[in-house]
Amino acid sequence: MAEKAIPVPRMEVSLQRFDRVLTLIENVLAASTLGLAAVIAVVAVVLRYVFGIFLFWSEEAIIYLIIYSTFLGAVITLRHNEHVNVDIFGAFLKARGRRALAVLAASLTVLYLVCIGYFAWLLLFEPFSTSTITPSLKLPLWVVEAAVPIGLTLMLLRALEMLVRNARGEDAFAEAKRSILEVEAEATGLDVREVERTRRELGDDPEENDR
């Protein structure tokens, strides 16, 4: 007799779907900005020292892309629970107390991001931001400043997810206990076993190399 599948609560399905979408957005944006900065840097160096062509706008573009990648990378760091934190009181509390403390910490994080994010978005509409033009790329300054509110908004969405998971008594940092390979494979819809099998076939298996 076939066993009945255990139904997954609708809230959990929604959280999983939200997590996958947000993870994909974070990864694509962070990788794109940092990758584009690296490509521009390499192309600029090759053109300058091989062909004598100087891309006057390359340095400015690289700086702005790194600024974006920094704020986007901060969101990924939060996802993996790698921001600096000092957990003093949690060591003296039982499970229920640690849960309450986690909810309080997540609530304060959400409040902080709402306040700072609000003023960051307001900054984009200041006359100085709309009228000032960057020296080389001739972009409005708000295009560069947008890295701050975009990063804070994505971080707020991630913090809200953490708050909900903490309130439900779940682990808000499940990805911190898994390898980067497992997390990123899941986010891109790949099977981590297929990735590991491909790495072994290519001779890039860390476990084999350590032996």
Side-chain angles (χ1 to χ4, degrees), residues 2-211:
E3 295 182 359
K4 293 184 179 180
I6 300 176
V8 181
R10 182 175 301 179
M11 182 66 174
E12 182 61 28
V13 174
S14 300
L15 281 175
Q16 292 176 356
R17 186 176 303 159
F18 176 81
D19 179 75
R20 285 196 298 269
V21 172
L22 188 57
T23 298
L24 180 61
I25 293 173
E26 294 166 358
N27 290 348
V28 169
L29 291 179
S32 299
T33 51
L34 188 58
L36 184 56
V39 170
I40 293 176
V42 172
V43 171
V45 170
V46 172
L47 289 179
R48 182 172 184 177
Y49 289 98
V50 177
F51 301 100
I53 301 174
F54 177 67
L55 298 180
F56 67 93
W57 50 266
S58 60
E59 182 178 357
E60 186 175 294
I62 293 170
I63 292 174
Y64 296 159
L65 287 170
I66 290 178
I67 291 174
Y68 268 87
S69 67
T70 299
F71 281 93
L72 295 169
V75 187
I76 299 177
T77 304
L78 177 64
R79 189 175 81 212
H80 290 277
N81 192 27
E82 294 180 350
H83 280 286
V84 177
N85 65 83
V86 180
D87 189 7
I88 299 177
F89 300 105
F92 301 97
L93 299 176
K94 295 183 179 181
R96 183 175 297 181
R98 288 195 297 270
R99 176 182 174 183
L101 186 63
V103 171
L104 176 61
S107 301
L108 292 176
T109 301
V110 169
L111 179 61
Y112 171 82
L113 291 173
V114 167
C115 296
I116 301 300
Y118 171 76
F119 289 107
W121 281 110
L122 288 182
L123 180 64
L124 302 187
F125 302 98
E126 291 291 326
F128 176 78
S129 301
T130 55
S131 61
T132 305
I133 304 298
T134 60
S136 299
L137 294 175
K138 305 302 180 184
L139 295 173
L141 187 59
W142 68 264
V143 174
V144 183
E145 295 175 339
V148 181
I150 290 175
L152 291 176
T153 300
L154 290 173
M155 192 175 292
L156 173 62
L157 294 176
R158 183 62 68 181
L160 287 171
E161 181 195 1
M162 290 164 44
L163 176 58
V164 172
R165 290 190 180 278
N166 284 323
R168 288 164 53 88
E170 301 174 0
D171 186 2
F173 302 102
E175 293 187 1
K177 298 181 179 179
R178 296 186 293 168
S179 67
I180 296 295
L181 179 63
E182 291 175 326
V183 174
E184 303 307 333
E186 179 181 335
T188 52
L190 299 175
D191 188 347
V192 66
R193 292 172 296 182
E194 292 294 332
V195 177
E196 291 176 344
R197 186 179 301 112
T198 303
R199 294 181 63 181
R200 285 196 296 269
E201 292 174 355
L202 296 175
D204 187 28
D205 189 353
E207 294 183 358
E208 293 292 337
N209 295 334
D210 292 338
R211 293 176 182 174

